[in-house]
DNA sequence: TTGAAAGCGCTAACAC
DNA sequence: GTGTTAGCGCTTTCAA
C-alpha cells in the first residue's frame, strides 16, 4: 500500500491530524513541527490520496466538462481545442484539474453530467453550448450546482452565469462592414438553428440589413451543418439565383474555406466577384487564399473566463450571477472589397 | 447531505452491503431484493459517491491525460482534438472518464502526472508524445503504473505498450512516391528533432533516397517549429539554393499550408514547379488549393487504440506489452506531379 | 499548538 | 443470499 498520512505522522512523531494541518498550511502550527513533518513527507515520498481528501472535504478541485461527441462537426474545427485550452489555462492557474466525458446522444450526455455531479467527481461544470431546450441546464439549475455556460442561454438568462460574445452586434457589424462597401445583396451562411449563437447572429444580420433599409430575402439565408458536400449544393443554389448575392457572411472560417472552394469551382472569384466575412479568425483564416476578413471572437478567452469565473463561484457560493461579454474584433484581410458599380 | 447507500438500505430494509451488491450487479442476490433495492434507489434518487467508491475499491474508472500546454504548436492543428476524440471514444465504450491537466514546463507536467498517479485520481495514463529523454516515462515505468504511449518510445521499446504509425515506412513511401515521379531533389520539412516521430520520419526519408541512390544534402533538411513567420524564411532560403528542390515532404498538413503560401509569394506553383507530399490528411488537406497529397495516419485510431489497450492493461495486470501499429495510407491528390524533363 | 476520535460513503472479507 | 464489520486515507470538530 502507498504511504499514508499515518506513516508520516509516525515518522515525525506527531498525530495524523497534525500532518493534515501541515499539508493545509494551517497558520496555528509551529515552525518546528512544520519542518519536522515536511521532512518526514519528503523522506517517505508522501503524496496525499485525493480521493480520500475529496471524500472527507467534499471538494474535488476539478471542473467537469462534456465533450462534443465524436462525429460532431465541432471537432473538425479549431473552436473546441482553443476553448479547451482557455479553460485549461484558467483551471491550471487555480490548481484545478479537468474531468471530461463524452455523450453520443443528449440522453447519454445528461447521464454523464449526472454521474459527475451526483458522483461528486467535480465541483462545478462548464457547458460548451446551449441548446434551445437544454435539459442539462435545467438539471444543474434545479440542483443549484455551480456551472458556467459558454454561449448565451436560451432562457433563464438572469439566473445563469455565462460568458459569451455579443454575437448580435458582432454579426451586425460584420454585415455593416459589407454594407458600407456598397453591398446590398448579402447572404447569410450559418449553422444549426438550434444553437443560440446561430439565432443571435441571424438577428444581428437582419438588424443590419433593416437599419440600412435593405429588404430581407429568405433565399439568402442558408443553414447547413456542412463541411464538404453538404454546403456545396447550398452555395451553388445560392449563386444561381436570379439575383445572386455580392457578399456573404459565414459563421465560421472553416465553413468559409468550403465556400471559397465551391466558388472557385464555379469560377467566381473572391473578392472581385463576391466578398466574404467570416467568423472566428483562426490561424487558417490568414493562411488561405485570399486571406479572410474574419471576426475574431477570442475563443481562448471565452474558455479562460469560463473556468476563472466558475472557480470563483465554486469557492464563494454567493458570488453573483454574471454575464461576461468577451470583446470581438473585425480583422480585415483580403476577402472583401467595395462593390463596383455596374 | 446527499442520499447515501445507508438511506437506500434502510428504505429497502436490507443491509448497506446488499445495496452495494445490487449496484455491482452481484450474481448471488435474489431477484426479489434486487427489485426492492432498485425501487428504493429510484425513489430516493440515489447516486453512488464515486470518491467513496474509488477510495474503497482502489479504482477510479478514469484515464489520465496531460494536455499540451497552451502555446504549444500542437494546439493549432487538428491532431490533438482528433486523437482526443479517439481516446474519448475508446474510454467511453468501457465507461471510463478522462482526467486532464496541463503543464507549462516539463517540470510542471511531471508534477501533474505525479499528482494524478499518487493522488490516485486515475487508473492509467495516456501519453501523447515521447520526448527523447522522457522523465514521465521513467517515472511511470519505475512505479509500474499502467500507461500507453502514443508514438514510439525513444528507449525501453520492449517495456512500453505503445500505439504508433510506422513512421519510418510512411515517410519512406511518401518519399518514394516522389522519386517514382522522377524527383531527385527532394527536401524534408519537419518539426522538432526532440520528438521521436521526427527522427523516425527523417530516417525513412533518408532511406528512400539512399535506396534510390540519391545523394543526401544537408541543406535540404529543415526543422522548424513553424507556423507562420518562422518557416517562411526557411522555405525562402531553401528555394534560393543553387539547386532548389523539385519536391518537398512536409510532416504536417498545416505546415504544408504555410509552405504553400510562401511558395505562392515566391511565384512558384504547385505542382507544376514543385511537388508536395504532406502528412495527417486532415480535412484541411482536401480543402486547400491545390488539394494536398497527404499520408493519412489515422489519428483517431491512434487515440482509440490507446485507450482501448490501456483499459485492457488496467483491468488485467498481466496483459502483455504490446506494440500497436496503426496503418497509414498515401492519399493522392493534386499537389504532386511527374517531374518534366528539362 | 497539538492529539484523539468521529466521520465522509463506499467495498469486501467474513460470518451466518 | 444477506448481514456485520472493518477499513480505504483523509479532514475536522472537540478537548487538552
Amino acid at each position: 500500500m502507498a504511504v499514508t498520512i499515518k506513516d508520516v505522522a509516525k515518522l515525525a512523531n506527531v498525530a495524523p491530524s497534525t500532518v493534515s494541518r501541515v499539508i493545509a498550511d494551517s497558520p496555528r502550527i509551529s515552525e518546528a513541527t512544520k519542518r519536522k513533518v515536511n521532512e518526514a513527507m519528503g523522506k517517505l515520498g508522501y503524496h496525499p490520496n485525493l480521493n480520500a481528501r475529496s471524500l472527507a472535504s467534499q471538494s474535488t478541485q476539478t471542473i467537469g466538462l462534456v465533450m462534443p461527441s465524436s462525429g460532431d462537426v465541432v471537432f473538425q474545427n479549431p473552436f473546441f481545442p482553443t476553448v479547451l485550452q482557455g479553460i485549461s489555462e484558467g483551471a491550471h492557474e487555480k490548481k484545478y484539474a479537468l474531468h471530461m466525458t463524452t455523450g453520443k446522444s443528449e440522453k447519454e450526455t445528461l447521464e454523464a453530467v449526472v454521474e459527475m455531479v451526483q458522483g461528486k467527481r467535480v465541483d462545478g461544470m462548464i457547458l460548451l453550448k446551449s441548446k434551445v431546450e437544454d435539459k442539462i441546464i435545467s438539471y444543474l439549475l434545479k440542483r443549484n450546482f455551480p456551472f458556467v455556460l459558454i454561449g448565451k442561454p436560451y432562457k433563464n438568462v438572469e439566473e445563469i452565469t455565462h460568458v459569451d460574445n455579443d454575437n448580435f452586434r458582432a454579426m451586425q457589424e460584420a454585415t455593416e462592414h459589407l454594407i458600407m462597401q456598397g453591398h446590398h445583396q448579402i447572404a447569410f451562411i450559418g449553422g444549426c438553428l438550434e444553437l443560440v449563437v446561430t439565432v443571435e447572429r441571424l438577428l444581428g444580420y437582419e438588424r443590419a440589413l433593416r437599419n440600412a433599409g435593405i429588404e430581407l430575402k429568405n433565399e439568402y439565408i442558408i443553414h447547413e451543418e456542412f463541411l464538404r458536400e453538404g454546403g456545396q449544393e447550398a452555395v451553388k443554389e445560392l449563386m444561381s439565383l436570379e439575383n445572386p448575392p455580392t457578399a456573404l457572411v459565414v459563421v465560421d472560417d472553416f465553413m468559409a474555406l468550403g465556400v471559397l472552394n465551391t466558388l472557385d469551382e464555379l469560377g467566381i472569384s473572391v473578392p472581385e466577384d463576391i466578398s466574404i466575412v467570416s467568423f472566428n479568425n483562426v490561424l487558417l483564416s490568414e493562411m488561405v487564399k485570399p486571406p479572410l476578413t474574419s471576426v475574431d471572437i477570442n475563443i481562448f478567452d471565452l474558455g479562460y473566463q469560463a473556468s476563472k469565473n466558475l472557480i470563483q463561484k465554486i469557492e464563494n457560493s454567493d458570488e453573483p450571477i454574471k454575464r461576461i461579454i468577451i470583446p470581438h474584433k473585425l480583422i480585415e484581410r483580403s476577402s472583401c472589397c467595395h462593390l463596383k458599380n455596374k
Side-chain angles (χ1 to χ4, degrees), chain A:
Chain A
M1 220 40 345
V3 24
T4 77
I5 214 171
K6 282 187 187 169
D7 303 319
V8 177
K10 208 171 291 169
L11 182 62
N13 255 317
V14 294
S17 51
T18 304
V19 178
S20 177
R21 287 185 189 109
V22 173
I23 295 169
D25 201 26
S26 160
R28 44 185 206 161
I29 214 117
S30 77
E31 281 305 320
T33 49
K34 224 175 241 183
R35 199 169 11 252
K36 213 167 50 179
V37 170
N38 278 320
E39 207 167 283
M41 295 202 303
K43 205 172 285 175
L44 296 176
Y46 170 77
H47 248 266
N49 180 321
L50 301 178
N51 289 315
R53 175 181 291 173
S54 294
L55 182 59
S57 68
Q58 312 275 28
S59 110
T60 60
Q61 295 267 117
T62 101
I63 290 176
L65 209 61
V66 179
M67 284 209 283
S69 69
S70 10
D72 196 314
V73 231
V74 160
F75 251 117
Q76 282 296 349
N77 96 29
F79 184 91
F80 175 69
T82 309
V83 78
L84 181 59
Q85 199 183 349
I87 291 172
S88 167
E89 179 84 18
H92 185 68
E93 280 179 11
K94 297 288 185 185
K95 298 196 179 303
Y96 276 66
L98 261 37
H99 184 98
M100 336 197 326
T101 42
T102 326
K104 284 182 178 319
S105 58
E106 266 196 77
K107 184 163 159 288
E108 267 193 24
T109 307
L110 179 58
E111 277 166 13
V113 172
V114 171
E115 174 123 342
M116 285 194 224
V117 172
Q118 318 232 28
K120 299 255 168 29
R121 273 269 133 98
V122 302
D123 295 339
M125 296 256 351
I126 291 179
L127 302 185
L128 289 182
K129 52 181 176 185
S130 49
K131 286 288 202 64
V132 163
E133 275 306 331
D134 204 310
K135 300 209 169 145
I136 296 179
I137 292 184
S138 331
Y139 168 78
L140 294 172
L141 234 30
K142 198 176 59 199
R143 292 195 67 90
N144 194 23
F145 191 81
F147 76 101
V148 168
L149 172 68
I150 294 180
K152 188 181 175 186
Y154 181 66
K155 51 183 195 181
N156 305 107
V157 190
E158 308 303 326
E159 303 166 37
I160 298 172
T161 289
H162 59 284
V163 11
D164 195 11
N165 302 105
D166 187 342
N167 279 301
F168 177 88
R169 292 217 48 200
M171 184 53 101
Q172 185 183 345
E173 287 169 18
T175 311
E176 281 167 355
H177 178 73
L178 291 166
I179 293 173
M180 284 190 336
Q181 295 191 321
H183 296 277
H184 279 203
Q185 303 177 9
I186 304 172
F188 174 97
I189 302 187
C192 172
L193 251 181
E194 281 217 308
L195 295 178
V196 178
V197 51
T198 308
V199 177
E200 289 283 300
R201 290 193 183 160
L202 184 54
L203 290 172
Y205 160 83
E206 293 177 350
R207 166 67 65 84
L209 295 188
R210 214 168 268 132
N211 281 355
I214 300 172
E215 184 201 0
L216 295 175
K217 296 187 189 171
N218 270 331
E219 61 272 33
Y220 273 9
I221 296 175
I222 294 182
H223 291 288
E224 281 294 341
E225 275 299 343
F226 78 124
L227 289 172
R228 310 195 222 203
E229 306 80 7
Q232 299 236 355
E233 282 318 304
V235 172
K236 283 181 188 165
E237 251 174 62
L238 187 64
M239 298 312 295
S240 56
L241 288 175
E242 198 172 344
N243 283 306
T246 63
L248 305 174
V249 288
V250 184
V251 297
D252 175 272
D253 289 329
F254 229 85
M255 262 192 197
L257 177 55
V259 171
L260 232 38
N261 281 339
T262 309
L263 293 175
D264 188 57
E265 272 178 38
L266 297 174
I268 299 170
S269 33
V270 179
E272 293 77 8
D273 302 327
I274 192 166
S275 289
I276 295 184
V277 177
S278 74
F279 271 74
N280 290 5
N281 189 37
V282 296
L283 191 47
L284 178 71
S285 61
E286 60 182 290
M287 298 185 84
V288 297
K289 283 176 286 186
L292 294 167
T293 290
S294 182
V295 179
D296 190 332
I297 59 168
N298 246 311
I299 301 176
F300 179 92
D301 232 39
L302 241 25
Y304 181 77
Q305 291 298 336
S307 53
K308 199 98 183 156
N309 283 280
L310 175 58
I311 292 171
Q312 283 178 18
K313 227 179 137 149
I314 290 171
E315 299 188 340
N316 170 15
S317 63
D318 43 47
E319 191 75 15
I321 306 292
K322 284 184 211 148
R323 177 177 182 205
I324 296 120
I325 299 299
I326 304 295
H328 59 265
K329 191 173 174 207
L330 184 82
I331 308 293
E332 296 194 45
R333 296 205 184 84
S334 326
S335 63
C336 296
C337 71
H338 278 271
L339 184 63
K340 294 166 199 70
N341 295 322
K342 301 195 177 181

